Amino acid sequence: MGLALIFVLGILNIAANRAVIDSGHPVVETLPAAFRRKGGKLSLAAEVCVLIAAMAFLSAGAAAAGWFYAVYSAGTLFAAWAILTGRI
């Protein structure tokens, strides 16, 4: 159950990341060029790596990894919401 929840949160994080990159918001211009190049593929790859690491740690019995990823996801999704709705 925990792995499924982490996976769903990861998909939401990746979608939010992609939406922010595609939004054209001025905050995206503050990212290093490597993260903006080629439509933000490096940024998305980093997000996938974090997801895979969280799932690996969780499957190895490190429950703290699941909680960490849940808190990380909440922050990421909140920031994406704030950027996409113009609050930032």
Side-chain angles (χ1 to χ4, degrees):
M1 180 68 180
L3 281 175
L5 181 60
I6 295 297
F7 181 75
V8 169
L9 287 173
I11 297 302
L12 291 173
N13 282 339
I14 293 166
N17 189 328
R18 184 78 214 169
V20 168
I21 291 169
D22 290 343
S23 72
H25 192 278
V27 77
V28 175
E29 296 302 317
T30 65
L31 292 172
F35 284 101
R36 290 178 285 146
R37 200 172 298 133
K38 295 184 182 179
K41 289 187 191 243
L42 182 59
S43 177
L44 295 172
E47 193 70 54
V48 170
C49 288
V50 172
L51 171 61
I52 291 170
M55 290 178 73
F57 280 116
L58 189 62
S59 68
W67 287 108
F68 167 79
Y69 196 77
V71 171
Y72 167 78
S73 294
T76 300
L77 295 171
F78 177 77
W81 170 79
I83 289 168
L84 295 172
T85 59
R87 287 173 169 65
I88 292 180

